[in-house]
């Protein structure tokens, strides 16, 4: 190499150089605002107009909503004497009623414990880094929560567990000897026969021998956000597996099964939820034997679950239809049967694709629980009327809806954020 060439070669990299930071004018809040609000003259004008309207609205609203609001008072008149802002004292004064309805105050520990245990039961479902053995508690939690909230003898939930165990044994035996569909029908038959002929006599006999239980609480005492969570969470949890079965049944090659699933889905999706709630609250009594005590909350939960299941089935069917045909062919090439291919290959991918639609259905169901106020169940919307009718708070207009709307927004927003986190976690980086 000549001396002249050696002098021109100043540096030769022997390893990959680290990436340089982005230019200063492309980072930070100012760069983000420039890119999203002021990138073009039209965006700049619209941003200024909208920002001005928001500023005017906050200028008018914040004094009433925040700065001049009252949180401690015994009545609306006392609020007005203290300040002219929002009277959120109605929320603090009737907080227990908004949360628990007319549940006995000395028993508040029971729904509170049920809520805490619900978080524990959901933990292994929402986070895969927790021990899988916790799923056993998740499976038992619904019966435990029922016993804590409604009370009564402990033998009722225990006999439900015994019924589920017996139905599972029947399913495994029949599925192994015949096929899973017949096994599922056998499990359902065992459950129905157990509840019709065996449950009440066994529970009565065991209660007479050893009476262990909690003080019973009538469903008419339930209300507020407590009843919202009972109906909403139960509908969310139960509608997903039922929706999966309906989606698989609608795509089945068995004509009878497909016809039943299609008929159910189309009928439920073609009827407003409020109509089904009216059927649950009034018309259903005409078809039951005289003297039958079918709890109104249980009827509503069943109708809400069936309604959400039909929509969930269509969401999951969309995920199944979005899978490439090669996935089915790959499952066949591996020698997997239908149930193995569905459980190991098809369904996990379909559910991953359907996450936005599934969470959207969950959020819609959670908000639709307010419709139960129309049939006399005192959810947060229904319980506003008794509070407004009282002498202390007669004249309250905006404060209660603002509080209820804020609580709904928080929980729906958390569900939405978790779905986005879950999508990012399952993202494999592949795009079609």
């Amino acid at each position: 190499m000549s001396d002249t060439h050696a002098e021109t070669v100043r540096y030769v990299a022997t390893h990959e150089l680290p990436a340089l930071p982005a230019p200063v004018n492309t980072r930070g809040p100012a760069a983000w605002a420039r890119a999203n609000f002021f990138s073009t003259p039209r965006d700049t004008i619209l941003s200024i107009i909208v920002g001005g309207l928001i500023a005017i609205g906050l200028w008018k609203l914040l004094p009433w909503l925040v700065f001049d609001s009252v949180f401690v008072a015994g009545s609306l008149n006392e609020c007005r004497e203290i300040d002219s802002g929002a009277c959120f004292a109605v929320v603090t004064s009737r907080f227990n009623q908004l949360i628990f309805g007319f549940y006995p105050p000395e028993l508040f520990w029971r729904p509170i414990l049920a809520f805490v245990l619900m978080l524990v039961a959901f933990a292994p479902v929402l986070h895969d880094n927790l021990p899988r053995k916790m799923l056993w508690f998740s499976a038992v939690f619904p019966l435990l929560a029922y016993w804590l909230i409604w009370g009564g003898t402990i033998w009722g939930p225990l006999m439900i567990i015994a019924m589920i165990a017996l139905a599972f044994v029947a399913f495994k035996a029949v599925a192994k000897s015949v096929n899973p569909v017949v096994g599922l029908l056998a499990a359902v038959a065992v459950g129905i026969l157990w509840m019709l002929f065996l449950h009440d006599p066994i529970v009565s006999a065991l209660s007479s021998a050893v009476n262990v239980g909690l003080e019973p609480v009538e469903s008419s005492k339930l209300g507020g956000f407590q009843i919202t969570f009972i109906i909403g969470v139960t509908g969310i949890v139960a509608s997903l597996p039922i929706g999966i079965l309906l989606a698989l049944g609608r795509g089945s090659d068995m004509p009878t099964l497909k016809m039943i699933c299609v008929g159910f889905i189309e009928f439920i999706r073609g009827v407003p939820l409020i109509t089904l709630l009216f059927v649950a609250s009034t018309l259903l009594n005409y078809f039951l034997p005289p003297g039958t005590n079918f709890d109104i909350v249980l009827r509503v939960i069943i109708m809400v679950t069936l309604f959400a299941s039909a929509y969930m089935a269509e969401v999951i069917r969309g995920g199944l239809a979005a899978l490439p045909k090669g996935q089915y062919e790959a499952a066949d090439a591996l020698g997997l049967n239908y149930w193995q291919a569905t459980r190991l290959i098809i369904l996990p991918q379909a559910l991953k694709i359907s996450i936005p639609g599934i969470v959207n259905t969950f959020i819609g169901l959670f908000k639709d629980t307010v419709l139960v106020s129309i049939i006399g169940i005192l959810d947060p919307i229904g319980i506003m009327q008794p509070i407004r009718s009282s002498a202390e708070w007669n004249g309250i207009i905006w404060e209660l809806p603002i509080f209820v709307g804020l609580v709904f927004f928080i929980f729906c927003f958390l569900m939405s954020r978790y779905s986005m986190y879950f999508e990012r976690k399952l993202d494999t980086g592949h795009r079609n």
Side-chain angles (χ1 to χ4, degrees):
M1 178 181 298
S2 65
D3 294 338
T4 304
H5 182 70
E7 291 177 358
T8 58
V9 180
R10 301 298 183 185
Y11 176 75
V12 177
T14 59
H15 56 84
E16 184 178 354
L17 297 178
L20 295 175
V24 177
N25 61 351
T26 62
R27 291 182 289 133
W32 179 85
R34 188 184 307 111
N36 290 276
F37 299 113
F38 306 104
S39 58
T40 64
R42 183 186 63 178
D43 291 345
T44 301
I45 295 173
L46 291 177
S47 298
I48 293 174
I49 294 174
V50 173
L53 294 176
I54 293 175
I56 295 172
L58 292 177
W59 179 263
K60 297 290 186 180
L61 183 63
L62 283 180
W64 179 84
L65 187 63
V66 179
F67 303 124
D68 300 332
S69 59
V70 180
F71 289 88
V72 179
S75 66
L76 180 60
N77 292 331
E78 291 184 17
C79 280
R80 295 294 176 258
E81 293 174 0
I82 297 173
D83 213 324
S84 60
C87 184
F88 288 114
V90 64
V91 176
T92 57
S93 175
R94 297 299 183 94
F95 183 78
N96 289 340
Q97 193 173 359
L98 288 168
I99 300 299
F100 301 103
F102 298 99
Y103 206 83
E106 66 276 8
L107 302 179
F108 280 171
W109 65 271
R110 284 162 48 176
I112 292 174
L113 178 59
F115 181 79
V116 173
L117 294 178
M118 180 189 72
L119 301 179
V120 176
F122 279 164
V125 179
L126 301 179
H127 300 281
D128 56 2
N129 56 347
L130 295 176
R132 295 294 91 186
K133 292 183 179 180
M134 291 181 63
L135 291 174
W136 287 104
F137 177 77
S138 303
V140 176
F141 168 74
L143 297 175
L144 178 60
Y146 171 83
W147 180 59
L148 283 173
I149 294 174
W150 274 274
T153 178
I154 188 62
W155 296 113
L158 290 179
M159 289 304 101
I160 295 293
I161 295 175
M163 180 268 292
I164 294 174
L166 186 61
F168 180 75
V169 171
F171 168 77
K172 296 293 289 185
V174 177
K176 185 177 181 179
S177 58
V178 186
N179 62 62
V181 176
V182 179
L184 182 62
L185 295 176
V188 172
V190 168
I192 293 175
L193 294 175
W194 177 281
M195 296 302 297
L196 288 177
F197 301 107
L198 297 177
H199 180 78
D200 290 342
I202 294 176
V203 170
S204 299
L206 292 174
S207 299
S208 301
V210 182
N211 189 10
V212 178
L214 298 172
E215 178 183 346
V217 178
E218 298 178 355
S219 294
S220 59
K221 302 291 184 182
L222 304 180
F225 281 102
Q226 180 186 20
I227 197 69
T228 294
F229 275 96
I230 291 174
I231 297 174
V233 173
T234 305
I236 287 172
V237 172
S239 64
L240 181 58
I242 297 176
I244 292 173
L245 294 176
L246 289 172
L248 295 176
R250 182 161 191 165
S252 173
D253 294 330
M254 302 173 64
T256 303
L257 178 61
K258 183 174 182 177
M259 181 179 63
I260 293 174
C261 293
V262 170
F264 174 84
I265 293 171
E266 296 303 328
F267 172 76
I268 294 295
R269 293 177 69 236
V271 178
L273 177 58
I274 188 61
T275 303
L276 298 177
L277 294 178
F278 273 118
V279 170
S281 63
T282 57
L283 297 179
L284 193 61
N285 289 329
Y286 293 105
F287 299 96
L288 297 175
T292 301
N293 183 19
F294 197 178
D295 189 88
I296 178 62
V297 175
L298 180 58
R299 283 181 272 165
V300 169
I301 288 175
I302 292 174
M303 285 299 183
V304 169
T305 301
L306 295 179
F307 181 82
S309 298
Y311 284 87
M312 189 66 64
E314 289 299 279
V315 171
I316 297 172
R317 185 170 73 92
L320 293 171
L323 284 181
K325 187 178 180 181
Q327 297 295 318
Y328 296 89
E329 295 173 347
D332 294 336
L334 292 173
L336 301 178
N337 60 32
Y338 173 80
W339 295 105
Q340 291 173 331
T342 301
R343 180 172 61 89
L344 299 175
I345 297 178
I346 305 302
L347 198 55
Q349 298 183 74
L351 292 178
K352 174 186 171 183
I353 296 172
S354 306
I355 287 176
I358 291 174
V359 177
N360 184 59
T361 305
F362 286 167
I363 293 175
L365 171 62
F366 187 71
K367 293 188 295 184
D368 285 345
T369 55
V370 299
L371 292 175
V372 301
S373 61
I374 298 177
I375 59 174
I377 295 179
L378 298 180
D379 73 317
I381 301 297
I383 213 165
M384 288 184 192
Q385 189 59 36
I387 295 176
R388 288 171 169 172
S389 301
S390 63
E392 297 86 355
W393 304 109
N394 189 12
I396 285 289
I397 299 176
W398 295 105
E399 290 82 348
L400 289 173
I402 289 174
F403 171 73
V404 173
L406 179 62
V407 174
F408 271 99
F409 171 78
I410 290 173
F411 282 98
C412 293
F413 180 78
L414 291 176
M415 283 192 280
S416 175
R417 293 300 99 182
Y418 179 80
S419 72
M420 296 176 66
Y421 155 78
F422 200 56
E423 284 186 84
R424 291 193 299 268
K425 185 177 180 179
L426 296 179
D427 187 12
T428 56
H430 298 294
R431 296 290 185 269
N432 292 332

